[in-house]
Amino acid sequence: EPEVTQTPSHQVTQMGQEVILRCVPISNHLYFYWYRQILGQKVEFLVSFYNNEISEKSEIFDDQFSVERPDGSNFTLKIRSTKLEDSAMYFCASSEAVAATEAFFGQGTRLTVV
Amino acid sequence: QKEVEQDPGPLSVPEGAIVSLNCTYSNSAFQYFMWYRQYSRKGPELLMYTYSSGNKEDGRFTAQVDKSSKYISLFIRDSQPSDSATYLCAMINMDSNYQLIWGAGTKLIIKP
């Protein structure tokens, strides 16, 4: 069964450092998403991406965040200067259709900022 | 008022029981209603989704939407210990955007 894969599974970084979280979406999917889940809190939408550009982003997705599809298979989330409050699980998802009604999620990357 | 409300639980039931999980919402424009299952430290896994009001059944799972009451439910029949997980509801209003709006998740424990 096709799946969304994310690397690394756990990343520890110092405050102020840049991190790149990587995702390989399902191959025939066209829409890609990043969500995050702070421990004990709701899943929150960050950004959606289609046709090599951002289609929607939330208030959380400020100038410190960027996304890229560098090579047609990977989908990355970069945080330029991490803050303690960026510590969370980051989930990548992909879907065939524009509405994420059947979005498939990766296993997540646990980001710990110290 | 939060857009989507979901009791975080935990909800503990004996194996074989029928489980009822629920969410309420405030935005009447939501059209698609999803249920996800999330095991500890794993990503959400889509169980099923429904469009508008009515029921949808898939094996031991039944999703129910009552738009007049802004209330959705997920029923699990013949519950198994492997059903122990957090169950999240999520919704989409396609008239404004395509983001998933999530409930907080209900932690379900099935006791053998």
Side-chain angles (χ1 to χ4, degrees):
Chain A
E1 186 175 318
E3 60 180 11
V4 176
T5 56
Q6 289 185 244
T7 55
S9 56
H10 190 192
Q11 171 102 38
V12 181
T13 189
Q14 287 197 325
M15 191 168 53
Q17 295 296 303
E18 175 183 285
V19 294
I20 298 176
L21 310 183
R22 292 182 166 80
C23 169
V24 179
I26 293 172
S27 60
N28 64 331
H29 286 182
L30 301 175
Y31 300 86
F32 314 114
Y33 315 87
W34 283 101
Y35 288 81
R36 80 172 185 189
Q37 187 176 30
I38 296 171
L39 186 64
Q41 298 187 24
K42 288 186 178 185
V43 178
E44 300 173 290
F45 169 77
L46 293 178
V47 66
S48 60
F49 191 85
Y50 169 71
N51 200 26
N52 285 321
E53 60 183 29
I54 291 172
S55 46
E56 289 182 85
K57 60 182 181 179
S58 71
E59 293 176 353
I60 303 168
F61 194 89
D62 60 22
D63 291 345
Q64 293 299 310
F65 291 87
S66 62
V67 289
E68 195 176 38
R69 194 143 192 258
D71 58 13
S73 61
N74 290 285
F75 179 50
T76 62
L77 174 70
K78 181 192 291 186
I79 309 174
R80 287 190 185 80
S81 178
T82 50
K83 303 187 282 285
L84 294 176
E85 53 265 38
D86 293 327
S87 295
M89 281 289 285
Y90 287 81
F91 295 108
C92 172
S94 69
S95 65
E96 284 185 86
V98 61
T101 49
E102 291 189 79
F104 289 81
F105 283 75
Q107 297 296 307
T109 293
R110 177 168 298 280
L111 176 64
T112 303
V113 182
V114 296
Chain B
Q1 184 183 14
K2 294 178 183 176
E3 279 199 284
V4 180
E5 300 261 17
Q6 186 176 11
D7 186 336
L11 175 64
S12 183
V13 300
E15 183 175 357
I18 296 175
V19 175
S20 173
L21 302 163
N22 311 293
C23 289
T24 59
Y25 61 94
S26 57
N27 187 348
S28 57
F30 284 134
Q31 297 141 328
Y32 286 89
F33 306 90
M34 274 69 66
W35 284 97
Y36 284 84
R37 177 174 62 196
Q38 185 177 27
Y39 292 111
S40 181
R41 296 178 181 261
K42 300 291 186 183
E45 172 195 5
L46 179 67
L47 290 174
M48 53 201 309
Y49 76 91
T50 53
Y51 172 72
S52 196
S53 283
N55 291 2
K56 185 174 182 179
E57 190 173 316
D58 184 1
R60 296 185 295 112
F61 298 91
T62 299
Q64 193 172 77
V65 174
D66 181 351
K67 291 197 79 176
S68 62
S69 302
K70 298 191 183 70
Y71 189 88
I72 69 170
S73 300
L74 178 71
F75 298 98
I76 307 174
R77 290 185 298 281
D78 188 25
S79 55
Q80 306 293 313
S82 58
D83 295 327
S84 298
T86 296
Y87 289 79
L88 303 111
C89 63
M91 307 178 188
I92 296 178
N93 170 14
M94 291 179 66
D95 290 335
S96 66
N97 57 52
Y98 303 106
Q99 302 172 24
L100 288 166
I101 308 299
W102 298 81
T106 299
K107 184 173 183 178
L108 175 66
I109 301 168
I110 308 296
K111 297 178 292 185

